[in-house]
Amino acid sequence: MNKFIAIVGSNSNKSTNRELLQYMKKHFQEQAEIELVEITGLSIFKKSIDKYVPQVARDIAERIENSDGVIIATPEYDHSIPAVLSSALAWLSYGIHPFVDKPVMITGASYGSLGSSRAQAQLRQILDSPELKARIMPSSEFLLGHSLEAFDENDNLKDEQIIQQLDGLFKDFLQFVDISKQLNNANTVNKQKAEEFSWDKD
C-alpha cells in the first residue's frame, strides 16, 4: 500500500483544507496510508550565512523522502497561496530537496465559489521551480468551493458529485504514482541540479 504525506497548507486552527485532508485520510484508508503534516511549527523562511534549516523542516523533508507521494491542500488568499505555505516550501528547498521527482497531487478548499483555483495554479509553478522539481499530476485540479458548507456533522463531504470527482482524481493519482516510479532515470541528475542551484545569485 502506498504511503502519502498530506501537507496542510494553512496555520488556521479551523482550516477546511485540514478538514479535507482528514476526510481523504479516512475515505481512502483502504487504498493508501495518508499521514497529515502541519507546517504551523515552521518559522518564516530566512536565509543565513551557514544555510541553517530548522529541525522541523528537516523532519518534514525526511517524511516526504520516505513517502510514495505528497498531497497538498492550499487555501487562497489574495489570489495566491498563504505566506506560511510559501515559507514552508522555501525551507523544503534550501539545502534539502525532498520534492525532486516526487509525485504531488494538489487540492484546495475555500469559502468562496472558486475553490482556490488561482492558488493552485501558483502552487504548480512553485513546485515546478528548479529548487523543488516536483512531479505534479497534470490536469487534476480538485476545487472545493463553499467549504464551510461542504461537510456534514460527521465530517464527510455531502455532495455526491464532488465525492465522485475526488474518487476519480485519487484513483488517477495512484496510477500517476505507479507510473512515476518507472520514470526516475534522471533522478540522480535532477537532484544534483537542485543541489547546485544557488540562492546567492538572486
Side-chain angles (χ1 to χ4, degrees), residues 133-150:
K133 290 183 178 291
R135 184 170 286 147
I136 311 111
M137 186 168 73
S139 305
S140 60
E141 283 186 325
F142 180 71
L143 310 171
L144 183 63
H146 303 293
S147 57
L148 285 175
E149 298 85 37

Side-chain angles (χ1 to χ4, degrees), residues 145-162:
H146 303 293
S147 57
L148 285 175
E149 298 85 37
F151 299 92
D152 63 21
E153 63 276 5
N154 296 314
D155 299 319
N156 293 315
L157 286 172
K158 294 189 290 187
D159 190 306
E160 187 60 36
Q161 189 175 32
I162 290 176

Side-chain angles (χ1 to χ4, degrees), residues 39-201:
I39 56 175
T40 53
L42 274 171
S43 58
I44 295 298
F45 175 77
K46 183 179 180 180
K47 291 194 291 183
S48 61
I49 294 175
D50 60 352
K51 293 189 175 180
Y52 168 77
V53 178
Q55 188 60 46
V56 175
R58 293 187 179 278
D59 291 343
I60 294 174
E62 184 177 2
R63 291 181 186 181
I64 293 171
E65 286 273 14
N66 294 331
S67 73
D68 296 294
V70 179
I71 304 166
I72 303 177
T74 180
E76 182 172 312
Y77 301 149
D78 300 326
H79 290 180
S80 63
I81 65 172
V84 65
L85 178 56
S86 178
S87 179
L89 292 173
W91 281 126
L92 293 168
S93 59
Y94 187 57
I96 53 178
H97 305 280
F99 276 102
V100 174
D101 294 331
K102 186 67 65 174
V104 177
M105 176 182 182
I106 298 174
T107 65
S110 73
Y111 297 169
S113 59
L114 295 179
S116 76
S117 61
R118 291 182 175 91
Q120 289 194 35
Q122 184 193 41
L123 182 55
R124 282 179 177 275
Q125 289 183 315
I126 294 171
L127 289 168
D128 196 39
S129 67
E131 308 98 304
L132 286 157
K133 290 183 178 291
R135 184 170 286 147
I136 311 111
M137 186 168 73
S139 305
S140 60
E141 283 186 325
F142 180 71
L143 310 171
L144 183 63
H146 303 293
S147 57
L148 285 175
E149 298 85 37
F151 299 92
D152 63 21
E153 63 276 5
N154 296 314
D155 299 319
N156 293 315
L157 286 172
K158 294 189 290 187
D159 190 306
E160 187 60 36
Q161 189 175 32
I162 290 176
I163 294 171
Q164 289 177 3
Q165 181 192 19
L166 183 59
D167 286 349
L169 289 173
F170 192 76
K171 185 177 181 180
D172 287 346
F173 185 55
L174 292 175
Q175 293 178 343
F176 181 68
V177 169
D178 288 341
I179 292 170
S180 293
K181 291 177 181 177
Q182 305 172 46
L183 301 177
N184 281 323
N185 296 300
N187 182 256
T188 301
V189 175
N190 287 341
K191 283 196 172 184
Q192 183 178 351
K193 284 189 173 182
E195 290 168 0
E196 291 173 350
F197 182 85
S198 176
W199 286 68
D200 299 320
K201 296 178 182 179

Side-chain angles (χ1 to χ4, degrees), residues 17-34:
N17 283 276
R18 181 182 297 106
E19 195 170 1
L20 172 60
L21 291 178
Q22 289 170 337
Y23 169 80
M24 292 178 68
K25 177 179 180 176
K26 178 177 61 175
H27 186 66
F28 296 121
Q29 60 184 336
E30 299 298 324
Q31 301 177 52
E33 179 184 344
I34 300 177

